[in-house]
Amino acid sequence: ESSLLPYSTIEAASSGNVDAINAVLRHYERYIAAMSTRTLYDEVGVPHLCVDEELRRRLETKLITRILDFDVTRAA
Protein backbone atom coordinates (compact mmCIF):
# COMPACT_ATOMS: atom_id res chain seq x y z
CA GLU A 1 0.00 0.00 0.00
CA SER A 2 1.33 3.42 -0.95
CA SER A 3 2.11 5.90 1.80
CA LEU A 4 1.22 8.89 -0.38
CA LEU A 5 -2.21 10.23 -1.13
CA PRO A 6 -3.14 10.42 -4.81
CA TYR A 7 -2.92 13.90 -6.30
CA SER A 8 -6.57 13.68 -7.36
CA THR A 9 -7.61 13.15 -3.73
CA ILE A 10 -5.58 16.14 -2.58
CA GLU A 11 -7.01 18.29 -5.36
CA ALA A 12 -10.59 17.23 -4.56
CA ALA A 13 -10.08 17.78 -0.83
CA SER A 14 -8.72 21.28 -1.35
CA SER A 15 -11.83 22.01 -3.44
CA GLY A 16 -14.04 21.06 -0.50
CA ASN A 17 -15.08 17.55 -1.52
CA VAL A 18 -16.24 15.95 1.75
CA ASP A 19 -15.38 12.39 0.68
CA ALA A 20 -11.85 13.45 -0.26
CA ILE A 21 -11.40 15.34 3.03
CA ASN A 22 -12.51 12.22 4.89
CA ALA A 23 -10.00 10.18 2.87
CA VAL A 24 -7.22 12.56 3.96
CA LEU A 25 -8.38 12.32 7.58
CA ARG A 26 -8.38 8.51 7.35
CA HIS A 27 -4.90 8.62 5.85
CA TYR A 28 -3.57 10.61 8.84
CA GLU A 29 -5.78 8.94 11.46
CA ARG A 30 -3.00 6.86 13.06
CA TYR A 31 -0.56 9.78 13.09
CA ILE A 32 -3.13 12.07 14.72
CA ALA A 33 -3.93 9.39 17.32
CA ALA A 34 -0.22 9.01 18.09
CA MET A 35 0.22 12.77 18.41
CA SER A 36 -2.77 13.04 20.77
CA THR A 37 -1.80 10.12 23.03
CA ARG A 38 -1.22 11.09 26.64
CA THR A 39 -0.01 9.21 29.69
CA LEU A 40 -2.53 9.30 32.51
CA TYR A 41 -2.03 7.86 35.97
CA ASP A 42 -4.66 6.06 37.99
CA GLU A 43 -5.21 6.47 41.74
CA VAL A 44 -2.32 4.14 42.61
CA GLY A 45 0.10 5.74 40.18
CA VAL A 46 0.00 3.19 37.38
CA PRO A 47 0.51 4.90 33.99
CA HIS A 48 -2.01 4.32 31.17
CA LEU A 49 -1.73 5.53 27.59
CA CYS A 50 -4.92 6.95 26.13
CA VAL A 51 -5.96 9.25 23.30
CA ASP A 52 -6.92 12.76 24.39
CA GLU A 53 -10.12 13.13 22.36
CA GLU A 54 -10.21 16.91 22.64
CA LEU A 55 -6.67 17.21 21.30
CA ARG A 56 -7.45 14.68 18.54
CA ARG A 57 -10.42 16.75 17.41
CA ARG A 58 -8.36 19.95 17.50
CA LEU A 59 -5.68 18.34 15.31
CA GLU A 60 -8.32 17.07 12.86
CA THR A 61 -9.90 20.54 12.71
CA LYS A 62 -6.53 22.12 12.05
CA LEU A 63 -5.83 19.60 9.27
CA ILE A 64 -9.21 20.29 7.65
CA THR A 65 -8.53 24.04 7.81
CA ARG A 66 -5.14 23.57 6.15
CA ILE A 67 -6.63 21.31 3.48
CA LEU A 68 -9.22 23.92 2.55
CA ASP A 69 -6.57 26.70 2.50
CA PHE A 70 -4.20 24.62 0.36
CA ASP A 71 -3.59 26.10 -3.11
CA VAL A 72 -3.10 23.15 -5.48
CA THR A 73 -2.08 25.39 -8.41
CA ARG A 74 0.73 26.93 -6.41
CA ALA A 75 2.01 23.57 -5.18
CA ALA A 76 2.00 21.91 -8.61
Side-chain angles (χ1 to χ4, degrees):
E1 185 175 321
S2 176
S3 64
L4 297 176
L5 286 167
Y7 178 78
S8 59
T9 303
I10 295 168
E11 186 176 37
S14 68
S15 297
N17 181 303
V18 175
D19 293 330
I21 292 172
N22 286 331
V24 174
L25 288 173
R26 276 192 309 277
H27 180 78
Y28 288 105
E29 182 176 47
R30 292 177 69 189
Y31 179 72
I32 290 172
M35 295 301 296
S36 58
T37 299
R38 300 286 176 242
T39 303
L40 300 178
Y41 298 90
D42 63 13
E43 56 276 347
V44 291
V46 178
H48 297 278
L49 293 176
C50 61
V51 174
D52 182 342
E53 290 298 323
E54 181 180 345
L55 180 56
R56 183 182 64 79
R57 286 190 187 99
R58 287 175 49 201
L59 290 171
E60 287 177 347
T61 301
K62 184 164 267 208
L63 177 58
I64 292 169
T65 302
R66 298 291 185 218
I67 290 168
L68 295 174
D69 289 341
F70 186 69
D71 185 7
V72 178
T73 59
R74 184 171 161 224

